[in-house]
Amino acid sequence: MRPSRPFKSRLAVLKAVGVVCLSLVWGLSTPAFAAIFGDDEARAAILELRQRVDVMRLDYEQRANVQQEQLRRLSEENIQLRRSLIDLQTQIDNLRTDNARLIGRDEVSARALVDAQRQYKDALGALEERVRALEPERVSVDGREFLVERAEKRDFETGLGLFRKGDFSGAQNAFAEFIKRYPLSGYAPSAFFWLGNSQYATQNYKEAMENFRLLLNQSPDHARAPEAVLAIANCQVELKDTKGARKTLEDLIKAYPKSDAAVTAKQRLPRLKDTTPAVSSSQGGNKK
Amino acid sequence: MHGFRRLIEVGLSIWLLGFALLAPAQAQFRVEVAGVGLTQVPFSIAPFRGETGVPQKISAIVLADLERSGQFRNVALKVDALDESARPDLGAWRQAGSDALIAGSVTRIADGRYDVRFRLWDVVAGKDLGGQSFLVTAADLRLSAHRVADYVYEQLTGEKGVFSTRIAYVTKTDQRHSLWVADADGEAAQPALSSPEPIISPTWSPDGRQLAYVSFESRRPVVYIHEVSTGRRRLVASFRGSNSAPAWSPDGRFLAVTLSRDGGSQLYTLDLNNLAAEPVRLTRSNGIDTEPTYSADGRFIYFVSDRGGSPQIYRLPAKGGNPERVTFTGTYNISPALSADGRWLAYISRINGEFKLQVMELASGAVTSLTSTVSDENPSFAPNSRLLLYATKQNDREALMTTTLDGAIKARLSGQGGDIREPDWGPFVGGIGGGAASASSAEVQGSVQR
């Protein structure tokens, strides 16, 4: 430890005291000075000086101890501070690593979520596709909307397909079967209509009339009803029932005055004067 | 982590210096095709009439080009005299199992140049598929052969051939580091730069006239742009810290770089028309962001970052924005390369301590491993997106390889045992002549310039 400034000055004091002491000793042996200091006086001075030196030394030592203690404490604190700083740095490093790992995990999770969502969507799509095959479907036919089973729709369209292809006996079978299997179907009136038309085409006029009538009984306000009445008239003409046909046409004009069929009926009525069958071109129901 | 830092950081220099292999001043390459593709067009090529007295054997170069593409299989047939004006009996070739026939000639004309002509026949359809002729100097004979191969490739596959494009790579011989510009088959290499300090990350400008690279000639990594035909260069990034990993934007206006001027390694863009402007900082992460590369449409920059705890490939909008992670398989994916058609991302993955070239179909995210080697590096796509060029070690020797994207056909562009690395495949280039084929060299003497 380096001596501090007060310590230096204290040393100077001690030196001075020593010089004084020496000169005193020297003075004692010199008679010339004997008269200046008495022995007792000198001794007392020495004792006093000694005492003061002791006090000073004690004081100094005490202070030095205190200082040393302070210094020790400071350096201890310093070491502790440094240690905690290193610890803090380690913690920061760890946090940074943890943070990076968490970011990485977050990225992976986000990606997994996206993948899962996509898979879920795909699976849901596939499921919906499969379920849709089993679920009733909303269809719109001849201005009416209703729910049908998949098979029901398929069977109806099979009949219609046959009719369009000109396979009228096949269509008859298909529509007859359809009506038997789905008597309450929303398609039923249309099925009667097409069944009647198929029968007309194969010259089964009586059966055809029956089915057109079934349609009219079941739903007189059906979009196909006017055409069905016209078709009945056609059947009657074919069966040479001119009277019946005229009656039917008049009924048609009365019942469905605004229909296209009524217009046709008006044109045809004047030509039904005699018993010759009407031209068979007016097979009203053939257009969809 | 260490490996990653070492690979992508300035440490690269130290890593490169670790190689003390000898490379010949000008590496001679040989094509070695390994593996068999399923749908290869069988073809035959007759020796070009007159080519024996010419510095380059045109037919051999065309043959090697076509084979290396992986899409053609040679049916060697002995023929005596056949050139572009012949009327070959295609029936005989059909019987031999060949689908296409190439024949031509090389004639030295009065002014010392060569007249290279050829014709291609579709043997199966019995049809003449046309031909071309080139008037070239001796220096451009190889290029004319590559043009022949390009023509044949395009006629038979419907896609552009890449045989007349160029590649760049770096070799180290004793204490000399050299940057080379070579034909796409690795041959006819010409030095563009030679330096006692490492040269890394060369990358072609979109117009194929310039190379950007990192040079340590001033004892620290700085980025230069080097005009290949004249050897003129400009220092474009020399900021405090390291300047590395240059990447051109497809319009050639910007250079994305990795700088550590603000602390960690982060991505920046430099406006090449205004180098006095401050670099624009693109990323702000606690990790290392580096190895930028633009998508072909210029919309995205793909790069490597360890922000998520391990190096992975991310992408962000080219003008800056939120990065989005792209690779999710494994814990170490670096060196992204994108195909010009936008379909593929190639990169290097560390799998069980081995560095393997991977290719990801971006639309589906499906990843395929392409190689059986274990030290693959630095992939880059051919400009037609059909082949990948990369560096690897094969039988303990450094090698440049090409592979088809299904990994079925590999060709080795190999020197006679040398330290060859950092390859980059250049873009499609213009017509023959005009000195486009040659590179001018800049020599760096001593260690400190500027």
Side-chain angles (χ1 to χ4, degrees):
Chain A
M1 201 191 83
R2 199 170 284 175
S4 59
R5 193 152 300 180
F7 176 73
K8 258 186 186 162
S9 59
R10 256 177 246 127
L11 204 69
V13 170
L14 284 175
K15 273 185 189 160
V17 170
V19 170
V20 172
C21 291
L22 275 173
S23 58
L24 280 178
V25 171
W26 179 70
L28 282 179
S29 59
T30 314
F33 289 101
I36 300 172
F37 290 109
D39 264 7
D40 291 349
E41 221 176 320
R43 191 165 293 135
I46 288 168
L47 283 174
E48 198 208 322
L49 277 170
R50 248 185 220 158
Q51 224 166 19
R52 278 167 64 184
V53 167
D54 284 347
V55 166
M56 284 170 80
R57 186 188 292 141
L58 221 69
D59 179 50
Y60 160 71
E61 277 172 359
Q62 243 167 17
R63 282 172 192 229
N65 280 343
V66 167
Q67 271 184 347
Q68 211 147 19
E69 176 63 19
Q70 274 177 342
L71 211 68
R72 198 184 53 78
R73 223 174 318 154
L74 274 175
S75 94
E76 227 166 63
E77 272 172 23
N78 191 5
I79 289 170
Q80 219 160 12
L81 211 65
R82 194 178 301 163
R83 220 180 279 145
S84 67
L85 212 64
I86 290 170
D87 188 52
L88 204 64
Q89 186 58 50
T90 313
Q91 283 185 28
I92 289 172
D93 285 349
N94 287 345
L95 282 174
R96 197 173 276 172
T97 312
D98 284 353
N99 190 36
R101 201 176 302 140
L102 285 175
I103 289 172
R105 203 177 293 170
D106 180 47
E107 289 165 349
V108 171
S109 307
R111 167 59 171 248
L113 185 64
V114 167
D115 285 352
Q117 278 173 336
R118 196 177 298 156
Q119 269 172 17
Y120 170 73
K121 221 175 117 191
D122 287 353
L124 202 66
L127 187 67
E128 265 174 5
E129 190 121 318
R130 281 162 58 197
V131 167
R132 203 176 302 129
L134 308 170
E135 273 179 343
E137 192 184 343
R138 184 160 289 277
V139 293
S140 169
V141 174
D142 295 335
R144 296 185 170 200
E145 268 200 13
F146 47 89
L147 288 174
V148 292
E149 300 292 329
R150 287 258 146 182
E152 191 180 343
K153 183 183 179 195
R154 187 194 58 217
D155 289 354
F156 179 78
E157 282 174 354
T158 303
L160 210 55
L162 289 169
F163 183 88
R164 291 210 180 104
K165 267 196 301 188
D167 178 2
F168 299 115
S169 53
Q172 273 174 54
N173 290 338
F175 284 118
E177 184 64 27
F178 183 90
I179 290 160
K180 217 194 289 169
R181 191 178 293 176
Y182 313 101
L184 302 175
S185 169
Y187 282 124
S190 304
F192 280 123
F193 180 76
W194 294 114
L195 177 56
N197 271 311
S198 330
Q199 285 162 334
Y200 181 93
T202 53
Q203 302 180 344
N204 296 321
Y205 303 117
K206 281 188 179 152
E207 289 89 338
M209 283 190 348
E210 203 170 305
N211 283 314
F212 289 129
R213 286 199 176 109
L214 278 170
L215 158 61
L216 293 170
N217 290 344
Q218 207 178 71
S219 41
D221 54 348
H222 194 268
R224 297 286 188 187
E227 288 175 55
V229 180
L230 186 63
I232 290 171
N234 286 340
C235 290
Q236 287 167 324
V237 170
E238 296 295 343
L239 293 169
K240 319 266 191 239
D241 178 8
T242 315
K243 212 176 133 198
R246 187 175 295 129
K247 170 88 174 50
T248 305
L249 291 175
E250 280 161 357
D251 286 350
L252 169 58
I253 295 163
K254 227 182 281 165
Y256 308 101
K258 285 178 184 164
S259 66
D260 289 348
V263 176
T264 313
K266 275 178 201 153
Q267 291 168 349
R268 194 156 310 162
L269 262 175
R271 285 190 275 155
L272 279 179
K273 291 263 156 66
D274 49 51
T275 50
T276 8
V279 190
S280 64
S281 69
S282 55
Q283 199 189 52
N286 266 12
K287 61 179 191 297
K288 192 181 172 221
Chain B
M1 191 61 224
H2 261 119
F4 166 61
R5 281 181 196 274
R6 214 171 46 175
L7 242 155
I8 64 179
E9 270 301 284
V10 187
L12 256 170
S13 60
I14 297 140
W15 181 68
L16 272 167
L17 288 166
F19 288 91
L21 291 162
L22 297 177
Q26 181 159 339
Q28 271 301 308
F29 289 85
R30 202 168 77 249
V31 176
E32 296 166 16
V33 176
V36 179
L38 296 173
T39 51
Q40 292 175 314
V41 179
F43 77 103
S44 301
I45 182 164
F48 277 32
R49 182 173 52 73
E51 74 181 355
T52 42
V54 171
Q56 300 291 344
K57 209 173 167 221
I58 306 288
S59 62
I61 296 167
V62 177
L63 171 62
D65 278 351
L66 292 173
E67 283 197 313
R68 197 175 55 258
S69 76
Q71 283 158 278
F72 296 90
R73 176 166 55 81
N74 181 231
V75 178
L77 283 182
K78 216 170 151 50
V79 277
D80 297 325
L82 200 59
D83 64 17
E84 77 282 356
S85 58
R87 293 172 149 266
D89 171 18
L90 295 177
W93 297 88
R94 194 157 44 232
Q95 259 183 350
S98 196
D99 285 2
L101 171 65
I102 307 147
S105 65
V106 189
T107 320
R108 197 185 159 119
I109 58 173
D111 64 1
R113 287 187 297 169
Y114 292 90
D115 184 7
V116 179
R117 299 174 179 216
F118 74 96
R119 187 161 296 281
L120 169 69
W121 289 274
D122 179 336
V123 172
V124 178
K127 223 167 65 184
D128 179 344
L129 291 183
Q132 287 179 326
S133 80
F134 311 107
L135 270 180
V136 294
T137 61
D140 280 340
L141 274 170
R142 296 201 86 252
L143 181 58
S144 71
H146 293 315
R147 297 269 182 216
V148 174
D150 280 342
Y151 182 91
V152 172
Y153 184 91
E154 188 162 352
Q155 288 297 316
L156 298 182
T157 68
E159 284 173 52
K160 272 183 99 165
V162 294
F163 308 112
S164 58
T165 59
R166 289 183 295 172
I167 62 172
Y169 56 85
V170 176
T171 62
K172 185 177 165 241
T173 315
D174 296 327
Q175 288 310 309
R176 295 304 286 176
H177 299 263
S178 302
L179 172 63
W180 300 88
V181 171
D183 287 3
D185 59 2
E187 301 244 20
Q190 300 192 37
L193 180 71
S194 178
S195 165
E197 302 295 335
I199 303 160
I200 57 170
S201 311
T203 175
W204 287 96
S205 64
D207 65 3
R209 293 170 187 276
Q210 296 171 305
L211 282 165
Y213 53 77
V214 177
S215 171
F216 286 73
E217 63 202 56
S218 53
R219 299 277 182 185
R220 65 195 200 87
V222 295
V223 177
Y224 283 97
I225 288 179
H226 185 122
E227 198 174 84
V228 175
S229 61
T230 62
R232 262 206 310 267
R233 30 186 225 149
R234 354 178 229 168
L235 187 57
V236 292
S238 179
F239 299 95
R240 197 181 66 78
S242 74
N243 306 267
S244 60
W248 298 84
S249 65
D251 60 9
R253 283 185 56 204
F254 297 95
L255 201 66
V257 287
T258 302
L259 305 177
S260 65
R261 52 176 266 170
D262 299 325
S265 289
Q266 297 282 294
L267 303 187
Y268 297 77
T269 48
L270 308 174
D271 184 345
L272 292 177
N273 295 328
N274 183 12
L275 284 172
E278 275 288 291
V280 176
R281 184 167 176 175
L282 291 183
T283 58
R284 283 176 195 283
S285 75
N286 287 325
I288 293 170
D289 293 347
T290 187
E291 294 198 295
T293 179
Y294 280 86
S295 60
D297 60 9
R299 287 175 57 215
F300 294 99
I301 290 176
Y302 286 69
F303 66 103
V304 177
S305 176
D306 67 348
R307 62 185 65 205
S310 69
Q312 297 288 351
I313 293 162
Y314 292 75
R315 70 168 197 185
L316 84 170
K319 297 285 171 210
N322 283 331
E324 168 193 357
R325 186 163 153 184
V326 177
T327 50
F328 285 92
T329 44
T331 56
Y332 188 102
N333 297 302
I334 60 164
S335 300
L338 289 151
S339 66
D341 64 7
R343 281 187 66 193
W344 309 98
L345 166 71
Y347 59 96
I348 302 296
S349 195
R350 188 178 64 200
I351 303 163
N352 301 324
E354 301 176 343
F355 296 90
K356 312 279 276 179
L357 174 60
Q358 312 281 303
V359 66
M360 177 193 284
E361 189 186 27
L362 286 167
S364 66
V367 175
T368 318
S369 194
L370 298 183
T371 61
S372 55
T373 41
V374 301
S375 311
D376 306 337
E377 292 171 9
N378 254 312
S380 73
F381 278 92
N384 68 356
S385 306
R386 296 299 297 256
L387 289 174
L388 270 166
L389 172 67
Y390 61 104
T392 192
K393 248 185 201 170
Q394 216 187 25
N395 307 323
D396 262 2
R397 283 166 57 202
E398 306 296 320
L400 298 187
M401 304 279 296
T402 62
T403 177
T404 48
L405 299 196
D406 58 2
I409 308 290
K410 295 192 181 64
R412 177 179 180 141
L413 315 179
S414 157
Q416 298 147 0
D419 176 7
I420 315 167
R421 19 192 76 235
E422 308 273 326
D424 189 58
W425 203 319
F428 286 118
V429 282
I432 235 162
S438 60
S440 286
S441 177
E443 179 84 1
V444 177
Q445 293 294 355
S447 54
V448 182
Q449 278 210 337
R450 317 178 69 123

